[in-house]
């Protein structure tokens, strides 16, 4: 029986239109490893691996570990976005700020 963690990973992966293979490529994981996370009863991924999966799927690792959350809330999505922003190089950050400034001008 799949775990809550596996159900969350599968649902987000499918929402993003990613195959196990595509998610594996983006997270440096094998397809079989991800299949096990999604389908085994009590998977125990490393914090590093869970963080990579969360980043690709647009949530935080905390979302995966919180048994009471069944879908990511806006706060989780915002935290994941901010983490992506912080990791960007400076030219990309500058472009994103310019987009936001242009948006606010309209």
């Amino acid at each position: 029986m799949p775990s809550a963690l596996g159900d969350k990973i599968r649902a987000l992966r499918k929402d993003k239109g990613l195959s196990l293979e595509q998610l594996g490529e983006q997270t440096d994981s094998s397809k079989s490893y991800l299949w096990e996370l999604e389908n085994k009863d009590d998977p125990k991924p490393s914090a590093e691996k869970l963080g990579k999966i969360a980043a690709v799927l647009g949530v935080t690792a905390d979302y995966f570990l919180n048994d009471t959350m069944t879908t990511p809330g806006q706060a989780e999505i915002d935290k994941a976005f901010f983490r992506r922003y912080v990791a960007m190089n400076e030219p990309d950050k500058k472009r994103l700020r310019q987009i936001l400034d242009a948006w606010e001008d309209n």
Side-chain angles (χ1 to χ4, degrees), residues 17-88:
L18 297 172
S19 67
L20 284 170
E21 188 172 325
Q22 291 168 321
L23 182 58
E25 289 171 1
Q26 294 180 38
T27 60
D28 299 321
S29 306
S30 69
K31 179 179 173 180
S32 62
Y33 176 76
L34 293 170
W35 183 92
E36 287 184 17
L37 289 181
E38 288 186 4
N39 293 289
K40 293 291 182 170
D41 187 24
D42 190 24
K44 301 217 185 304
S46 69
E48 177 186 1
K49 194 61 78 171
L50 197 58
K52 285 182 176 184
I53 293 168
V56 169
L57 297 177
V59 294
T60 64
D62 295 339
Y63 165 69
F64 286 134
L65 300 174
N66 186 331
D67 290 336
T68 61
M69 265 195 257
T70 56
T71 58
Q74 192 60 49
E76 288 300 311
I77 294 167
D78 289 346
K79 286 179 199 174
F81 177 82
F82 182 71
R83 288 180 183 172
R84 285 180 59 198
Y85 174 80
V86 168
M88 288 179 176

